[in-house]
Amino acid sequence: MSPASSSAEPSTRSAAAGAAAPVGRPAHGPAGGPPPGPAGGLAVGDVTVVEPGMLRRAVSAAALGNAMEWFDFGVYSYLAVTLGKVFFPTADGTTQLLATFGTFAAAFLIRPLGGLVFGPLGDRIGRQKVLAATMIMMAAGTFAIGLIPSYATIGVWAPVLLLFARMVQGFSTGGEYGGATTFIAEYAPDRRRGFLGSWLEFGTLVGYVAGAGLVTLMTAALDEGSLLSWGWRLPFLIAGPLGLIGLYLRMRLEETPAFRRLQDEAESAERQRPKSGLRELVTTHRRALLLCMALVLVYNVTDYMLLSYLPTYLTAELAFDATHGLLVIIAAMVLMMAVNGPVGHLSDRIGRRPVLMAGCLGFLLLSVPALLLIRDGEQWGVLVGVGALCLLLTCFTGTMPAALPALFPTHIRYGAMSVGFNVSVSLFGGTTPLVVTSLIDATGNRMTPAYYMMAAAVVGAVAVRLMPESAGRPLPGSPPAVASPKEARELVATARRRAAGVRGAPAVAR
């Protein structure tokens, strides 16, 4: 080694780590400590190379579970008026809506309990096993709704059974989204995590579109009597076969590379893995948890407002034809499906924070003008208003699945995501239709949805300003992840050049 190299020796570890984590963020070793490898440097064996076939299966299985979850939620939202007549026939129209959305919100109130159970369990026994269990429970809960007799048949037991089925769904989904985002994030190469994570929300949109399309088809094809007597059951019964397909796909998956590495370390150290990371989460990672909850707030308030509540708003508040209102939302979601992947890719290129901040500022500035266009009633105005808001929503749907898991280290990631995500969704996201319906009923102000989204955007903008940038960087507690052995060799070579103080010909020329 030359004298110049020797003088650079003390900075070798941080420089080598920096090569694995662009923009100056040091890479972390598997347990959140120093980077792995000889003398703290980065070796090819320390870099995770993701097998393409397994990556495709992981993304597909996670996205399908999300699609099934939101197929149910979409159907429930779009059939809110019909379900109100089936399960709460003695109430007036507004009370029926409130009762239906109240049952909808009840499932979200139990989601944190599901997150508390499934999240730490996923950190202890593995992501794949828990995601298989949540798939079974989601499918069973949704299928059961389609079998419940109406109020006219069994009286008050009908809404009671509906509430129970919704709570089964809520408990299972408490472990679904946190596990699915963790699963994809831990499989994805660092430079493509935004794009690959966006497919999770693509699954959400597919579920919504399938649910909305089926409801629209039934609304157009069936008379009201047929829809009330048996037609409403069909979308829920479809969940049975969908759940079996999703379970089959998830059972074929291997555990994520990050979790396998964590297990190997625990075994080599001959120690038990901690049974719960909840205490560490609220003491050591409190700031990250609060940031997660704030980001989820703006994400889900806007998501549920536009994709779940807006069809009901168009029908109940603005007297739109039910089929017309659903077609507008379907068109907007198809637009989102086309844009969602490019937005995720953009976040890989320019960073998560700029994309998320653009969404927050957009909702803050454009919610009122967009809703005024929608209220105007002209077809072009409705399409432009809804389309603009849904395009802003893709700033969240295309970016959040990669941004949220990067807030937490591997050994508590599933639990932290499940707790933070579900507490925020339960308090703010899933209650959005109920709260907005109640506010409009109490105040008579039909601009309430715009003001509600603006308030959420302010909270989101503050969180984005405080969150760390994670694009192109290893997940906390994980080594770098790449798409090919060639990329791994290039990464290590770059790390060694930087460690030795050699920046390459262009840098030397300067």
Side-chain angles (χ1 to χ4, degrees):
M1 180 176 294
S2 67
S5 300
S6 299
S7 64
E9 188 71 26
S11 64
T12 297
R13 297 184 182 185
S14 60
V23 201
R25 172 75 50 104
H28 298 284
L42 188 68
V44 173
D46 299 319
V47 180
T48 299
V49 179
V50 183
E51 196 272 313
M54 183 58 68
L55 178 60
R56 285 193 296 271
R57 290 196 296 273
V59 172
S60 299
L64 180 61
N66 225 38
M68 195 190 78
E69 174 187 350
W70 294 105
F71 172 83
D72 161 67
F73 286 163
V75 165
Y76 193 96
S77 300
Y78 304 142
L79 283 176
V81 175
T82 300
L83 292 176
K85 295 177 181 179
V86 171
F87 290 99
F88 309 99
T90 59
D92 59 65
T94 300
T95 305
Q96 286 179 353
L97 269 184
L98 288 172
T100 303
F101 281 132
T103 308
F104 182 81
F108 288 86
L109 297 180
I110 201 171
R111 282 181 70 153
L113 180 58
L116 286 170
V117 172
F118 289 121
L121 191 64
D123 285 328
R124 189 161 70 250
I125 69 172
R127 286 76 161 109
Q128 184 265 346
K129 296 181 180 68
V130 174
L131 284 173
T134 61
M135 175 66 75
I136 296 172
M137 292 186 66
M138 279 195 303
T142 305
F143 187 78
I145 291 178
L147 300 177
I148 299 174
S150 67
Y151 187 96
T153 303
I154 60 173
V156 71
W157 283 105
V160 170
L161 290 175
L162 175 64
L163 178 63
F164 178 76
R166 290 290 299 151
M167 293 181 77
V168 170
Q169 291 175 313
F171 186 79
S172 63
T173 54
E176 173 63 26
Y177 189 84
T181 54
T182 295
F183 201 81
I184 292 180
E186 291 182 351
Y187 256 111
D190 298 332
R191 296 178 184 175
R192 301 183 64 208
R193 189 167 292 118
F195 174 71
L196 293 170
S198 71
W199 285 95
L200 185 65
E201 291 302 329
F202 183 86
T204 295
L205 294 168
V206 169
Y208 265 113
V209 169
L214 184 56
V215 170
T216 302
L217 181 63
M218 291 193 308
T219 303
L222 300 177
D223 58 70
E224 185 176 8
S226 299
L227 193 62
L228 289 172
S229 63
W230 58 269
W232 67 270
R233 300 179 184 276
L234 296 180
F236 297 104
L237 296 176
I238 291 174
L242 281 180
L244 293 177
I245 294 171
L247 179 63
Y248 169 74
L249 290 176
R250 289 189 173 182
M251 292 299 292
R252 294 179 64 231
L253 294 174
E254 296 179 6
E255 198 46 81
T256 68
F259 185 79
R260 290 201 306 268
R261 183 182 288 260
L262 200 63
Q263 280 187 316
D264 292 342
E265 285 187 338
E267 292 172 2
S268 64
E270 296 182 356
R271 57 182 174 83
Q272 285 285 333
R273 291 178 47 73
K275 291 187 177 180
S276 173
L278 294 179
R279 179 178 298 179
E280 179 183 353
L281 174 61
V282 297
T283 55
T284 307
H285 302 280
R286 186 186 305 112
R287 184 175 186 273
L289 180 63
L290 293 175
L291 285 175
C292 176
M293 293 175 64
L295 292 169
V296 172
L297 183 152
V298 63
Y299 174 24
N300 278 270
V301 165
T302 53
D303 185 89
Y304 282 96
M305 186 75 75
L306 297 176
L307 302 186
S308 293
Y309 175 70
L310 192 56
T312 301
Y313 177 81
L314 293 174
T315 302
E317 303 297 337
L318 303 183
F320 272 53
D321 174 75
T323 302
H324 181 207
L326 287 175
L327 287 174
V328 170
I329 302 302
I330 291 173
M333 288 189 290
V334 171
L335 175 64
M336 289 180 64
M337 289 167 63
V339 175
N340 202 62
V343 170
H345 178 68
L346 180 65
S347 77
D348 285 328
R349 298 292 300 274
I350 68 173
R352 319 286 185 229
R353 293 178 62 191
V355 177
L356 292 173
M357 186 61 77
C360 292
L361 296 179
F363 275 108
L364 184 62
L365 298 175
L366 299 179
S367 290
V368 168
L371 194 59
L372 287 173
L373 281 174
I374 294 170
R375 287 188 57 190
D376 185 57
E378 294 290 337
Q379 184 171 359
W380 71 269
V382 174
L383 291 173
V384 171
V386 173
L389 292 175
C390 286
L391 284 177
L392 289 174
L393 182 58
T394 59
C395 293
F396 304 146
T397 59
T399 307
M400 286 290 188
L404 295 176
L407 294 171
F408 305 102
T410 303
H411 66 286
I412 63 164
R413 184 171 295 125
Y414 196 155
M417 278 292 300
S418 296
V419 172
F421 185 87
N422 289 299
V423 168
S424 188
V425 169
S426 298
L427 293 177
F428 308 108
T431 58
T432 294
L434 176 64
V435 171
V436 173
T437 301
S438 301
L439 289 174
I440 292 176
D441 187 50
T443 65
N445 190 338
R446 292 179 177 174
M447 293 300 294
T448 298
Y451 302 143
Y452 205 71
M453 289 189 291
M454 291 170 67
V458 171
V459 176
V462 173
V464 173
R465 179 67 180 84
L466 297 175
M467 70 179 284
E469 182 56 73
S470 60
R473 303 172 183 179
L475 292 171
S478 298
V482 297
S484 67
K486 178 182 177 182
E487 188 178 344
R489 290 191 296 270
E490 291 174 350
L491 184 67
V492 171
T494 302
R496 289 175 179 172
R497 284 199 302 269
R498 291 185 179 180
V502 178
R503 304 293 179 173
V508 173
R510 284 201 303 263

